[in-house]
Amino acid sequence: MKYVWMVIRLLLPVAAIVLLCLYMAGKGGESKMLLMGGLLCSTAGLWLNVWFQRKGRKNK
């Protein structure tokens, strides 16, 4: 399960970058959805990283 969380934590920022680049390039039908998806992925990635860092420090 540890590796699943690690992959999710790595893929969320990558997905955010891709979605935000697509939004800026103007590709895709719903540009507002690309922006919202990119912002949601970046926020979720940040919160997961903060949560796991705090969890790791608490265990030490």
Side-chain angles (χ1 to χ4, degrees):
M1 193 64 174
K2 177 181 176 181
Y3 295 111
V4 173
W5 284 112
M6 192 180 303
V7 168
I8 290 172
R9 288 169 56 193
L10 289 173
L11 287 180
L12 279 173
V14 171
I17 291 169
V18 168
L19 289 172
L20 293 173
C21 287
L22 286 174
Y23 169 73
M24 289 190 299
K27 307 282 184 191
E30 290 288 327
S31 61
K32 298 274 185 191
M33 294 299 287
L34 292 173
L35 177 62
M36 287 190 304
L39 291 174
L40 183 66
C41 285
S42 66
T43 304
L46 282 172
W47 278 107
L48 271 177
N49 284 327
V50 167
W51 185 67
F52 275 104
Q53 283 180 356
R54 287 185 180 181
K55 185 178 169 184
R57 289 181 189 162
K58 187 178 177 182
N59 291 337
K60 284 187 176 183

